[in-house]
Amino acid sequence: MKRNKIYQYALLVALPWMGSSLMTSCTDNFESLNTNSVQVDPNNLPFSAQCAEPMQYCYPPQQNMFQFWTNLTIDLYSGYFMTPNGNFTNGDMGENRGHSGGMYENYYLHIFNNTRRIIADCDEEGNLGLAGVMRIVQAYGTLMTTDAHGPLAYSSILSGEYESYYPFDSQQELFVAMFKDLDKAITDIQAMSEAEKTTLATFDSWCNADTQLWVKVANTLKLRMALRLSKREAEMKEAGIDLKQVATEAAANTLATVNTDIVIDKSLENEMWLMFNWGDCGFNANLVTLMSGMKDPRQPLYMTKNSADVVDLNGNVVVPAGTQYLGIRFAAGLPGKPNNWASFSQWIDPQNTIGVYSMPLPIFKAAESYFLLAEAKLRWDIGSASVQSLYEEGIRVSMANELSYRGKYAGVEAYEAGAVDAYINGTTTQIDFVDPVDPKLNTPALNKLCVKWDESADKEAKLERIITQKYFALFPLSIEAWAEQRRTGYPRLFPAYVNESNGAVNTEEGVRRVIYSSNAYDTNAQGIAMGLELLDKENTSKNGISGDKGGTHVWWDNANLGNF
């Protein structure tokens, strides 16, 4: 049963950001339009509370926001999760604007509206190191949101020059701004005063006041962004940013130097368990068939086997309870819940007996840094380590960190002896998807490469291996996984069985972006109109799709270029 929560800052809807009140001066009119006079002035809150919110809402610890943030959109599109509830039309590519605004609204309500105010205040007071920390959080949130939607209102809000609407920045402009913010953040954090470090310790749920770890997070984020723009290298150079140089500088000091995952361990609610408990979420057939076929030792850390007997459409028990890992095909045209797919694989600790509901919130996986470094070496010949050694170490770090992070909730104390080495040298591949309920949903495997590295392979095959293993290591951060899948095409995802988009999404290409919310149209119509002009200008769809549709390409998703 859903448990209602009252949030003082989410009672009224003013702009597309749902009427946040956690803002003060910096852009006066933006504040007045977004602030309810009866709500708490954030300047009256402890500074630690003001900083804690944007950090925590990079993985929202609130059930309804979490569901709308990614679980009804990006979680499905990434190939990690799939809803067994056919009433959620995004699961069949039938775009639901009311279910597509969570990322946008979470960013503006909980992240940007706070970080921009704190940064301005800290800069004015000379607390540049603390401002630097918030700049990193702001860049993290901005990257998530532009990756999902494309153009955003950003510089117009920071400038304070607009009163009744907020023009959007192009995605390229957003990336330029993020790179500049991260560079400044690194410089200022390295010069942070002892007094600032003491303050940082009162709220830092990411790095526990370790300033050098913050620098590594910023560099890893820069490397992530540089590779995200691999198909826009020429355009970024024209804008004054050499992506290879950015990647070279960042690669020297990433999370790979410490192998530390960034997670928020503050006894907050990890709402993914609740998505399954409500019967609104299941595992996606793409992830399940990949992990099953490659015999991935992390699979029991990520999911359970079927929770009950699976019954086919004729009423026959076809899979006894607890015997198979089972995923649901995306866009399968399922009926509403409850139905025969509800007992497929579940979230670990499905009865919450160990406390997975308060499982630490994942922000950044250290293993990702190895796969970023592997691609940087493959693409730009950055660093002295070989692509193979970085690839294999990324797998090992993911195996170790996931066991440490998830093991107690999954009831797994250790891998079987030799399991990690066997996986790295494995030659098996993705299995076909066989739906035990309805065979018409069956579809053959698309990913033909095994885990074992092949130095004789061409660059494309090497990239496919890197991205596929990064896909496993990123779980459950579907935002990043989906962005990389769109950028590279890996891993290949099963095609939709049904397409209810009315032409807004191409079946073969799949969903390329999340549409803007109704709220955004209602409250910033002029800004949205200008944003859609930018979106169309940056769009490279080959299928005649444009405008605010799921099949429109964001700028970095350049259909005119291959991976190399």
Side-chain angles (χ1 to χ4, degrees), residues 29 83 96 134-135 177 181 277 301 336 353 403 444 448 509 559:
N29 192 60
T83 178
N96 183 326
M134 287 296 106
R135 282 188 167 92
D181 267 353
N277 184 260
L301 297 173
T353 55
L403 181 63
K448 304 299 184 181
E509 270 202 329

Side-chain angles (χ1 to χ4, degrees), residues 455-491:
E455 186 57 32
S456 67
D458 61 19
K459 280 189 172 183
E460 194 69 37
K462 289 177 178 178
L463 179 66
E464 182 175 352
R465 280 191 166 89
I466 291 168
I467 300 299
T468 300
Q469 290 306 312
K470 179 160 70 169
Y471 183 79
F472 296 151
L474 285 167
F475 180 85
L477 298 174
S478 60
I479 300 160
E480 184 61 22
W482 184 44
E484 288 295 84
Q485 198 284 325
R486 286 178 287 160
R487 176 178 72 95
T488 65
Y490 304 126

Side-chain angles (χ1 to χ4, degrees), residues 146-169:
T146 187
D147 281 349
H149 296 287
L152 301 172
Y154 188 83
S155 63
S156 62
I157 296 172
L158 295 176
S159 72
E161 297 175 1
Y162 295 85
E163 296 183 357
S164 59
Y165 73 99
Y166 298 92
F168 281 37
D169 291 318

Side-chain angles (χ1 to χ4, degrees), residues 166-183:
Y166 298 92
F168 281 37
D169 291 318
S170 70
Q171 192 169 68
Q172 182 176 16
E173 291 169 331
L174 291 167
F175 270 86
V176 170
M178 287 186 285
F179 277 127
K180 290 180 178 178
D181 267 353
L182 289 171
D183 284 340

Side-chain angles (χ1 to χ4, degrees), residues 94-274:
E95 298 174 307
N96 183 326
R97 200 170 295 281
H99 290 171
S100 298
M103 173 64 71
Y104 189 91
E105 291 160 0
N106 181 59
Y107 170 68
Y108 284 107
L109 172 61
H110 294 292
I111 301 174
F112 187 49
N113 283 351
N114 289 294
T115 55
R116 66 178 189 85
R117 170 180 53 78
I118 296 167
I119 290 167
D121 289 347
C122 287
D123 280 347
E124 183 177 350
E125 295 166 3
N127 294 318
L128 302 184
L130 293 174
V133 167
M134 287 296 106
R135 282 188 167 92
I136 296 171
V137 175
Q138 182 168 283
Y140 183 100
T142 304
L143 180 62
M144 286 196 301
T145 312
T146 187
D147 281 349
H149 296 287
L152 301 172
Y154 188 83
S155 63
S156 62
I157 296 172
L158 295 176
S159 72
E161 297 175 1
Y162 295 85
E163 296 183 357
S164 59
Y165 73 99
Y166 298 92
F168 281 37
D169 291 318
S170 70
Q171 192 169 68
Q172 182 176 16
E173 291 169 331
L174 291 167
F175 270 86
V176 170
M178 287 186 285
F179 277 127
K180 290 180 178 178
D181 267 353
L182 289 171
D183 284 340
K184 180 168 176 53
I186 290 171
T187 298
D188 291 342
I189 289 172
Q190 288 174 327
M192 184 181 285
S193 68
E194 291 304 315
E196 286 182 282
K197 291 178 183 178
T198 299
T199 301
L200 178 63
T202 66
F203 67 83
D204 185 2
S205 59
W206 285 22
C207 300
N208 296 315
D210 183 339
T211 56
Q212 291 309 304
L213 189 56
W214 273 106
V215 171
K216 297 177 194 300
V217 169
N219 277 318
T220 310
L221 191 55
K222 285 177 62 178
L223 186 55
R224 176 193 281 185
M225 289 162 51
L227 288 166
R228 182 82 86 252
L229 298 175
S230 60
K231 295 181 181 179
R232 292 294 186 180
E233 194 169 356
E235 291 90 339
M236 289 303 291
K237 185 166 287 188
E238 290 175 2
I241 295 180
D242 185 324
L243 295 179
K244 180 179 178 180
Q245 183 60 36
V246 168
T248 301
E249 294 172 358
N253 190 20
T254 68
L255 290 171
T257 62
V258 289
N259 295 343
T260 300
D261 285 353
I262 306 302
V263 299
I264 300 176
D265 191 2
K266 297 293 182 183
S267 297
L268 297 167
E269 294 184 4
N270 188 319
E271 310 291 8
M272 185 58 80
W273 173 81
L274 199 57

Side-chain angles (χ1 to χ4, degrees), residues 436-455:
V437 176
D438 189 349
K440 74 174 184 289
L441 298 177
N442 295 354
T443 191
L446 299 175
N447 298 277
K448 304 299 184 181
L449 294 184
C450 61
V451 180
K452 187 176 181 179
W453 187 256
D454 180 1
E455 186 57 32

